[in-house]
């Protein structure tokens, strides 16, 4: 696998149109994605002292986060609107090598910061709802 450019790891939000288009959330300097799967333990007295897990059991989830400079873009405004409404939107993350993940997410946290001699910045956190597809 080739080394990939971190600047090409992009968070995008759907425009809700047909065909669906995804807009890059502008101003992000860092983007992070966490994949998780909670196991279902089915260990019993006959397990010989070893933990056993239920295959394909449990809950799978994707968490997205990012931090960057506030630019006032439409995608940033959409993040704030979505957080305040509690709604779900379709998001995509893409990598330089062409790999993409798409699914419905809820914005769970949006923080703004600014120093007296610096730029306004923000951080955002999103949690998946339903299946996230690897494309």
């Amino acid at each position: 696998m080739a080394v990939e450019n971190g600047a090409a790891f992009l968070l995008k939000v759907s425009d809700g149109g047909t065909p669906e288009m995804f807009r890059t959330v502008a101003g992000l300097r860092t983007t992070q994605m966490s994949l998780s799967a909670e196991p279902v333990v089915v260990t019993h007295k006959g397990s010989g002292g070893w933990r056993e897990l239920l295959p394909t059991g449990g809950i799978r989830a994707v968490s997205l986060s990012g931090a960057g400079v506030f630019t006032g873009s439409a995608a940033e405004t959409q993040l704030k609107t979505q957080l305040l409404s509690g709604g779900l939107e379709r998001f995509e993350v893409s990598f330089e090598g062409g790999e993409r993940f798409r699914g419905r997410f809820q914005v769970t946290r949006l923080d703004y910061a600014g120093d007296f001699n610096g730029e306004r910045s923000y951080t955002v956190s999103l949690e998946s709802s339903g299946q996230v597809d690897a494309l």
Side-chain angles (χ1 to χ4, degrees):
M1 175 182 271
V3 175
E4 293 188 9
N5 185 343
F9 178 16
L10 301 174
L11 174 64
K12 300 176 181 185
V13 61
S14 172
D15 67 357
T18 306
E20 184 176 40
M21 303 295 289
F22 288 86
R23 293 188 301 244
T24 299
V25 177
L28 287 179
R29 290 181 174 166
T30 62
T31 308
Q32 182 174 339
M33 180 174 74
S34 300
L35 307 171
S36 64
E38 294 178 15
V40 174
V41 178
V42 293
T43 308
H44 51 84
K45 291 181 181 181
S47 298
W50 288 94
R51 179 179 68 177
E52 293 186 34
L53 301 176
L54 180 66
T56 68
I59 298 172
R60 290 180 298 279
V62 177
S63 300
L64 303 174
S65 62
V69 178
F70 182 78
T71 65
S73 73
E76 290 169 342
T77 301
Q78 191 173 347
L79 292 175
K80 180 177 70 176
T81 301
Q82 183 187 351
L83 177 93
L84 294 174
S85 73
L88 298 169
E89 295 281 347
R90 285 184 42 80
F91 283 84
E92 173 182 282
V93 290
S94 63
F95 299 91
E96 182 178 33
E99 185 178 19
R100 294 175 294 153
F101 290 84
R102 279 188 187 165
R104 290 170 34 123
F105 289 81
Q106 184 174 55
V107 177
T108 58
R109 186 171 182 113
L110 182 59
D111 295 313
Y112 295 106
D115 291 327
F116 76 95
N117 64 343
E119 72 280 358
R120 178 177 167 188
S121 63
Y122 70 99
T123 59
V124 63
S125 300
L126 303 96
E127 293 294 333
S128 64
S129 176
Q131 181 173 330
V132 175
D133 297 312
L135 308 171

